[in-house]
């Protein structure tokens, strides 16, 4: 059976960073990702990142991905990469992980340490005919367009005015697709104003306190019905919108199956959008050889996911005896400084309060 | 005509069916999984679990954080029995 010092599960911004950090500190790393290429959501993010200088604010997401790939190239002797490879199970009894490459190849790895950077999945909402072809997750639409160069349709109704809904609406328009409206259940826009302003300037209405009531169409989507929402539920007249695509950008939830399988202490934290593992200041879970990073640790942004990945990779490397205490302390302090910078101010308030509920300084031994 | 809302797309289970079974006392995710197969298809509950937990919470009048999420077992995605039978690690 294959063995490895550090198994990193998920090669998005968090996992890539964890693998790079652990390898650069002298660990032998195996990095697996279920997709055909590494990079997670970075490879389709054509917008410029916010955040801070250290986290390459002002650079487009896919460019940040390229920088990480370049770093990976320099460490390729220490990082064994497996794409198109999904972790199927974690077996607590003996610490073995089972995986499949594609549909045919099944194998096992026994790692000494694991970093779970499994990311997030898109939420769905129930409404009549939500299973018609033409109802998409916004992330899926972004993948179709920006990775595969395929536009999903001609006219889109976007559900959700968070950052994903706003950014994907703008990118749809850049690709020549008409956006009929952005519908948002909450009384306020969830995403950054700059993204909202861009699509408003192009004449797309953002309808706050509105919801989708049903999708229309027989074999495929031909429209949608939306309606205003008041304190007592739906109010006003239902409005028919003509569209061939309904795009759901109603939030993400952490991908946590493997953390559950591994028996990590889990906690429901609404601010982090679902169940997340309790973790210490080293991003270590209650299972002493398992670390967590990125959206799997709570829905946040790629910038902080990358720093969390660094922390997890550093922690895993130190636990294997590869990092001197003084180097570790310096690394820890610097990464935490970068994280607090990213989470500062009003925008970070929700994240800070969520993290307070699931963090501890150190696990009791 | 009553409009159907599909909650579990993999196994084509509707919101109405889920509500009926919750009313009959099958008010946990694992019980619903056993009677309706929700969460047993290709996506393994990634699409429906959150919606079903909210329905259970609503029916019982408790916050969703108090509804048990159900058991997570390998495999996390469907695998052909043949490749398991072969034993892997070729």
């Amino acid at each position: 059976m294959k063995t490895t010092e550090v198994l990193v599960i998920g090669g998005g911004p968090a996992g890539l960073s964890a693998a790079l950090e652990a390898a650069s500190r002298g660990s032998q790393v195996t990095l697996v990702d279920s997709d055909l290429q590494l990079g997670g959501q970075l490879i389709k993010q054509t917008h410029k990142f916010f955040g801070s200088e250290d986290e390459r604010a002002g650079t487009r997401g896919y460019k940040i991905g390229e920088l990480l790939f370049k770093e990976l190239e320099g460490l390729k002797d220490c990082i064994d990469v497996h794409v198109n490879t999904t972790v199927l199970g974690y077996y607590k009894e003996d610490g073995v992980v089972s995986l499949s490459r594609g549909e045919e190849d099944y194998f096992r790895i026994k790692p000494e340490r694991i970093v779970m950077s499994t990311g997030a999945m898109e939420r769905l909402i129930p409404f009549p005919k939500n299973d018609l072809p033409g109802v998409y997750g916004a992330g899926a639409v972004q993948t179709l367009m920006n990775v595969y160069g395929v536009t999903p349709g001609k006219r889109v109704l976007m559900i959700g005015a968070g950052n994903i809904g706003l950014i994907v609406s703008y990118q749809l328009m850049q690709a020549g697709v008409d956006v009929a409206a952005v519908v948002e259940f909450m009384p306020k826009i969830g995403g950054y104003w700059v993204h909202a302003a861009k699509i408003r300037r192009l004449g797309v209405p953002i309808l706050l306190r509105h919801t989708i009531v049903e999708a229309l169409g027989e074999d495929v989507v031909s429209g949608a019905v939306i309606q205003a929402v008041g304190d007592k539920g739906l109010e006003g007249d239902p409005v028919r919108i003509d569209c061939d695509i309904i795009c759901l950008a109603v939030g993400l939830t952490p991908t946590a199956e493997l953390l559950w399988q591994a028996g990590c202490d889990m906690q429901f934290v609404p601010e982090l959008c679902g169940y997340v593992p309790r973790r210490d200041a080293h991003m270590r879970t209650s299972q002493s050889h398992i670390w967590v990073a990125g959206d799997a640790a709570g829905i946040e942004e790629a910038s902080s996911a990358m720093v969390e990945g660094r922390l997890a990779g550093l922690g895993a490397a130190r636990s294997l005896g590869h990092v001197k205490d003084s180097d570790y302390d310096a690394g820890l302090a610097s990464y935490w400084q970068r994280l607090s910078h990213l989470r500062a101010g009003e925008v970070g308030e929700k994240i800070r309060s969520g993290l307070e509920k699931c963090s501890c300084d150190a696990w009791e031994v | 005509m009553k409009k159907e809302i599909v909650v579990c797309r993999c196994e084509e289970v509707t919101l109405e069916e889920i509500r009926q079974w919750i009313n009959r006392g099958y008010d946990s995710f694992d019980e619903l999984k056993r009677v309706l197969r929700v969460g047993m298809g290709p996506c393994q509950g990634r699409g429906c679990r959150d919606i079903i937990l909210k329905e259970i919470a609503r029916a019982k009048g408790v916050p969703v954080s108090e509804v048990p999420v159900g058991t997570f077992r390998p495999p996390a995605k469907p695998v052909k029995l043949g490749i398991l039978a072969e034993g892997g690690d070729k």
Side-chain angles (χ1 to χ4, degrees):
Chain A
M1 191 186 313
K2 184 179 158 51
T3 58
T4 188
E5 281 194 323
V6 182
L7 172 66
V8 179
I9 304 175
L16 273 171
S17 304
L20 292 169
E21 182 75 23
S24 69
R25 304 277 180 168
S27 319
Q28 185 263 314
V29 177
T30 302
L31 171 61
V32 300
D33 194 282
S34 59
D35 211 334
L36 297 173
Q37 51 183 322
L38 294 176
Q41 309 309 303
L42 284 177
I43 58 169
K44 66 186 191 189
Q45 289 175 342
T46 53
H47 66 282
K48 290 179 180 170
F49 274 35
F50 291 155
S52 61
E53 200 85 340
D54 280 336
E55 268 48 74
R56 307 187 180 104
T59 308
R60 297 183 192 278
Y62 73 98
K63 289 277 179 197
I64 295 178
E66 286 171 6
L67 291 168
L68 293 172
F69 297 151
K70 212 171 139 194
E71 209 180 326
L72 189 69
E73 190 56 32
L75 284 164
K76 64 176 181 207
D77 294 340
C78 323
I79 306 179
D80 185 15
V81 175
H82 296 260
V83 292
N84 192 22
T85 301
T86 306
V87 172
L88 300 171
Y90 173 84
Y91 296 86
K92 247 195 298 189
E93 301 74 21
D94 51 8
V96 170
V97 168
S98 64
L99 310 94
S100 71
R101 183 182 291 105
E103 298 285 314
E104 300 301 333
D105 193 12
Y106 178 80
F107 64 106
R108 283 162 289 197
I109 297 181
K110 183 156 181 154
E112 291 176 46
R113 305 287 185 269
I114 299 177
V115 178
M116 302 262 196
S117 41
T118 45
M121 50 205 173
E122 299 200 86
R123 270 210 188 117
L124 304 171
I125 45 171
F127 53 84
K129 295 200 175 179
N130 63 351
D131 57 333
L132 272 182
V135 180
Y136 281 88
V141 161
Q142 200 185 25
T143 302
L144 264 184
M145 288 196 303
N146 298 358
V147 179
Y148 298 107
V150 176
T151 53
K154 294 192 168 61
R155 191 170 154 87
V156 170
L157 175 68
M158 181 66 69
I159 314 295
N163 275 326
I164 296 179
L166 297 172
I167 289 171
V168 174
S169 293
Y170 185 71
Q171 292 174 357
L172 280 160
M173 284 184 270
Q174 285 181 312
V177 179
D178 201 16
V179 178
V182 179
V183 169
E184 170 61 55
F185 185 83
M186 301 302 284
K188 117 179 208 217
I189 290 168
Y192 294 132
W193 276 101
V194 57
H195 295 313
K198 266 186 183 172
I199 62 170
R200 280 297 295 124
R201 278 199 295 270
L202 289 166
V204 175
I206 300 178
L207 306 170
L208 302 175
R209 287 309 259 159
H210 274 71
T211 191
I212 179 164
V213 180
E214 64 178 309
L216 301 171
E218 285 310 314
D219 300 322
V220 293
V221 169
S222 62
V225 177
I226 62 169
Q227 202 167 348
V229 191
D231 295 335
K232 290 177 189 133
L234 295 175
E235 59 180 41
D237 294 328
V239 178
R240 190 201 151 109
I241 305 269
D242 286 323
C243 59
D244 58 351
I245 299 292
I246 296 167
C247 215
L248 303 178
V250 292
L252 303 172
T253 190
T255 306
E257 293 102 314
L258 295 172
L259 292 153
W260 284 105
Q261 282 185 22
C264 299
D265 273 359
M266 302 293 286
Q267 191 169 341
F268 185 78
V269 182
E271 294 94 330
L272 301 177
C273 306
Y275 279 90
V276 294
R278 295 185 54 79
R279 79 297 303 265
D280 66 9
H282 315 270
M283 296 306 292
R284 201 171 65 161
T285 69
S286 63
Q287 296 289 322
S288 60
H289 60 294
I290 299 179
W291 279 255
V292 67
D295 276 352
I299 305 302
E300 209 180 332
E301 306 214 0
S303 319
S304 43
M306 290 187 283
V307 188
E308 285 188 345
R310 296 277 168 186
L311 274 171
L314 179 66
R318 183 189 61 163
S319 73
L320 291 159
H322 295 312
V323 186
K324 277 195 306 202
D325 282 354
S326 56
D327 291 346
Y328 184 75
D329 293 342
L332 193 69
S334 127
Y335 290 142
W336 272 107
Q337 195 182 11
R338 282 159 65 173
L339 277 177
S340 25
H341 189 142
L342 288 169
R343 291 166 177 162
E346 202 189 331
V347 282
E349 205 177 294
K350 195 176 106 183
I351 296 295
R352 292 199 304 274
S353 98
L355 289 172
E356 217 164 272
K357 297 179 182 172
C358 58
S359 304
C360 60
D361 287 337
W363 294 101
E364 283 172 32
V365 185
Chain B
M1 194 185 84
K2 205 165 165 87
K3 287 170 184 164
E4 279 197 344
I5 301 178
V6 174
V7 169
C8 170
R9 296 183 192 200
C10 303
E11 300 291 331
E12 297 188 332
V13 182
T14 64
L15 186 59
E16 197 184 359
E17 286 175 275
I18 288 165
R19 286 181 174 162
Q20 280 169 1
W21 283 94
I22 293 174
N23 286 338
R24 283 183 215 165
Y26 294 82
D27 56 0
S28 73
F29 187 84
D30 280 351
E31 284 169 301
L32 291 168
K33 179 163 98 176
R34 281 171 192 129
V35 291
L36 291 171
R37 287 191 54 84
V38 289
M40 293 178 79
C43 92
Q44 290 288 296
R46 288 180 188 83
C48 64
R49 188 184 301 266
D50 279 3
I51 298 171
I52 292 170
L53 293 178
K54 271 185 208 149
E55 278 304 314
I56 295 171
R58 189 176 306 165
K60 294 174 90 166
V62 298
V64 72
S65 58
E66 284 172 26
V67 179
V69 292
T71 313
F72 291 83
R73 289 191 188 86
K77 77 160 197 186
V79 197
K80 291 180 188 168
L81 280 175
I83 68 168
L84 293 178
E86 281 166 21
D89 292 339
K90 277 165 283 190

